[in-house]
């Protein structure tokens, strides 16, 4: 591969210094990424103290394993994968995520859910409402919605991360999305009742 075609992260020089255990460079990288990594973990684990711990551990791991970062993609994406994996490991250790054997999903059920998804009413939903609604979702739904909507992973990537079939992820996502919309609409209804009283 020629130098021209080789990927180079925008923070390449800082990462190079981090590989040499330069504390100043590590602090600078931390300051560039800590908020995004904390938010990624928080959306998955739904607890700020746990998200903070996971984010800190993820940076420690990243700095100790920088030799594994091949710079074929952005450092932020590489770091995010560490945060996502640590967050999921945390949930598994708390048994807060349904990740047992991949459940066989009937083709008819998938078809029914896809039809149901088509018929769902489009609702103007704000990002703040989505985040609040996600906090009330069960762990296995919250994880899939977070990875898909907030982190931008595809259903195939989520299937690989969670060690589930594509169909199972798709069905869980459809169910989670329906539950999320119901949570948001219930909150709106409660707020509207309060404001009319």
């Amino acid at each position: 591969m020629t130098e021209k075609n080789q990927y180079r992260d925008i923070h390449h020089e800082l990462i190079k210094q981090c590989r040499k255990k330069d504390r100043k460079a590590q602090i600078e990288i931390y300051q560039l990424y800590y908020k995004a990594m904390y938010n990624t973990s928080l959306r998955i684990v739904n607890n700020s103290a746990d998200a903070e711990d996971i984010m800190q551990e993820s940076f420690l791991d990243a700095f100790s394993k920088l030799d594994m970062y091949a710079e074929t993609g952005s450092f932020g994406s590489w770091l995010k994968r560490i945060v996502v994996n640590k967050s999921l490991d945390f949930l598994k250790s708390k048994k807060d995520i349904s990740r047992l054997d991949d459940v066989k999903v009937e083709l008819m059920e998938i078809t029914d859910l896809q039809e149901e998804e088509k018929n769902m009413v489009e609702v103007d939903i704000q990002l703040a409402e989505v985040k609040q609604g996600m906090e009330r979702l069960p762990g296995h739904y919250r994880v899939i919605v977070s990875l898909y909507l907030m982190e931008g992973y595809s259903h195939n990537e989520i299937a690989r991360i969670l060690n589930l079939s594509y169909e199972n992820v798709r069905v869980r996502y459809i169910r989670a999305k329906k539950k999320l919309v119901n949570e948001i609409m219930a909150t709106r209804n409660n707020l509207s009742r309060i404001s009319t009283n």
Side-chain angles (χ1 to χ4, degrees):
M1 186 185 290
T2 66
E3 183 67 31
K4 209 182 335 183
N5 295 335
Q6 190 173 2
Y7 177 85
R8 181 163 279 191
D9 190 89
I10 59 170
H11 302 297
H12 173 76
E13 291 304 318
L14 272 176
I15 293 163
K16 201 162 106 178
Q17 291 306 310
C18 287
R19 283 190 169 118
K20 296 176 182 176
K21 311 284 189 239
D22 181 324
R23 292 290 294 150
K24 189 176 176 184
Q26 289 175 340
I27 290 169
E28 199 168 334
I29 285 287
Y30 177 85
Q31 289 173 338
L32 287 167
Y33 290 99
Y34 82 93
K35 284 181 186 173
M37 297 306 128
Y38 167 79
N39 287 329
T40 295
S41 183
L42 181 61
R43 285 189 290 267
I44 295 171
V45 300
N46 204 30
N47 178 292
S48 60
D50 294 333
E52 179 76 27
D53 290 345
I54 290 165
M55 183 264 302
Q56 298 288 346
E57 288 174 27
S58 297
F59 272 99
L60 292 173
D61 272 12
F63 290 141
S64 69
K65 297 176 182 175
L66 265 175
D67 290 339
M68 296 173 71
Y69 172 54
E71 294 194 51
T72 55
S74 76
F75 177 77
S77 295
W78 182 75
L79 181 58
K80 185 190 283 188
R81 278 194 300 276
I82 294 171
V83 172
V84 166
N85 288 332
K86 282 200 164 296
S87 299
L88 293 173
D89 288 345
F90 173 81
L91 289 180
K92 280 191 287 179
S93 75
K94 297 288 185 191
K95 296 186 179 11
D96 189 23
I97 183 172
S98 170
R99 214 192 141 185
L100 302 170
D101 292 330
D102 193 6
V103 180
K104 248 187 154 179
V105 182
E106 298 292 329
L107 183 58
M108 196 167 104
E109 185 179 4
I110 294 171
T111 305
D112 289 346
L113 283 167
Q114 287 171 337
E115 193 61 38
E116 192 175 311
E117 183 182 34
K118 284 182 206 167
N119 295 329
M120 283 180 70
V121 177
E122 289 297 318
V123 180
D124 181 28
I125 296 176
Q126 303 297 316
L127 182 60
E129 290 178 304
V130 171
K131 288 179 179 179
Q132 289 170 354
M134 283 176 59
E135 290 173 7
R136 294 187 296 277
L137 290 177
H140 61 286
Y141 284 165
R142 186 179 61 251
V143 168
I144 286 179
V145 169
S146 177
L147 291 175
Y148 186 77
L149 288 180
M150 302 299 190
E151 307 308 329
Y153 287 104
S154 70
H155 289 304
N156 281 326
E157 291 169 322
I158 295 169
R160 280 193 300 276
I161 290 168
L162 297 178
N163 196 27
L164 297 170
S165 70
Y166 170 84
E167 292 81 12
N168 197 301
V169 167
R170 178 96 172 108
V171 167
R172 285 187 190 190
Y173 174 72
I174 292 168
R175 288 178 180 160
K177 188 167 112 177
K178 181 180 178 185
K179 187 156 181 58
L180 179 60
V181 168
N182 289 340
E183 288 287 345
I184 291 167
M185 297 313 290
T187 300
R188 282 183 177 182
N189 290 337
N190 287 339
L191 291 173
S192 123
R193 274 198 301 270
I194 291 168
S195 66
T196 57
N197 288 338

